[in-house]
Amino acid sequence: MDLDLSQFTTTELVIMLIAGVAVLLFGYRIKKAAFFIIWFIIGLTLMNYLMPWLETTVPDVLSNELWHNLIPIAGGLLMALLGFTIEKICLGGIVFALTMLITTQYFGTEMNTLAIGAVVGVIAAGAAVMLMKPAIILATAFAGAYVTTLGIFYWISGIDAGTYYFPILIGTAAIGSLFQFFTTKHA
């Protein structure tokens, strides 16, 4: 498994890691902000993946470094505003997006793999909407764990992503979930 984080700057990764840890540990308490942060990270990530295509499509605009830096941030803000507005759709979308991100990064992008990931994502999203509080806690913990795991692999070299990606992801998500369940018993 190869985690390509080269499309992100160090500043973007630091911001993502700080936001990821906040969402990991306090996702339910800061639900609205957590949804905003998660959707911002999803939008920023998608725009960074689309940047090579945009560079070939509109090279004159993206030759300017200001636009090259602002377009991913604008994509993140647009996704954040959309995700922030509708809670149930937001939660379902987060669960589906996380399922697809994990599917593509760990299992590849073949059509059969994407189809299976999409089916699992839709089922998980439906279950999440039916079980709001536990689903918000689990979704925010996994979203935070996902970003934290990427940060771990970026800053600690020598860790084999193929071997340790899922143990770190699941272990971090479990810690975040337990922390949130214990700190929001009466919320």
Side-chain angles (χ1 to χ4, degrees):
M1 178 177 152
D2 182 33
L3 294 176
D4 182 22
L5 301 174
S6 62
Q7 72 267 17
F8 297 107
T9 66
T10 302
T11 305
E12 289 173 336
L13 284 168
V14 167
I15 292 169
M16 285 174 57
L17 183 60
I18 291 168
V21 170
V23 169
L24 171 71
L25 297 175
F26 307 107
Y28 188 76
R29 291 234 184 249
I30 58 169
K31 179 172 36 174
K32 295 284 188 184
F35 285 167
F36 188 87
I37 291 167
I38 292 168
W39 281 104
F40 178 81
I41 291 170
I42 290 170
L44 182 75
T45 304
L46 288 174
M47 286 308 297
N48 277 316
Y49 282 122
L50 290 175
M51 286 304 281
W53 176 77
L54 287 173
E55 287 172 349
T56 60
T57 307
V58 283
D60 295 336
V61 173
L62 291 175
S63 64
N64 183 336
E65 190 173 337
L66 175 68
W67 285 109
H68 198 272
N69 291 330
L70 285 180
I71 287 176
I73 293 170
L77 286 174
L78 180 63
M79 288 293 286
L81 290 173
L82 289 173
F84 182 72
T85 57
I86 306 169
E87 191 171 286
K88 286 184 180 182
I89 292 174
C90 182
L91 176 62
I94 289 169
V95 171
F96 181 80
L98 284 171
T99 304
M100 293 307 292
L101 283 171
I102 291 169
T103 299
T104 58
Q105 281 195 339
Y106 197 73
F107 298 108
T109 57
E110 293 81 32
M111 189 54 72
N112 291 342
T113 304
L114 291 175
I116 292 169
V119 169
V120 170
V122 167
I123 292 169
V129 170
M130 292 187 327
L131 305 164
M132 249 350 230
K133 180 181 178 180
I136 289 171
I137 290 173
L138 290 174
T140 57
F142 268 96
Y146 174 77
V147 174
T148 304
T149 301
L150 293 180
I152 289 169
F153 284 113
Y154 181 76
W155 276 292
I156 302 174
S157 60
I159 298 176
D160 180 30
T163 304
Y164 295 108
Y165 177 79
F166 274 118
I168 291 173
L169 176 74
I170 292 169
T172 307
I175 291 167
S177 296
L178 289 173
F179 183 84
Q180 287 190 58
F181 276 117
F182 287 128
T183 59
T184 61
K185 278 185 178 179
H186 305 292

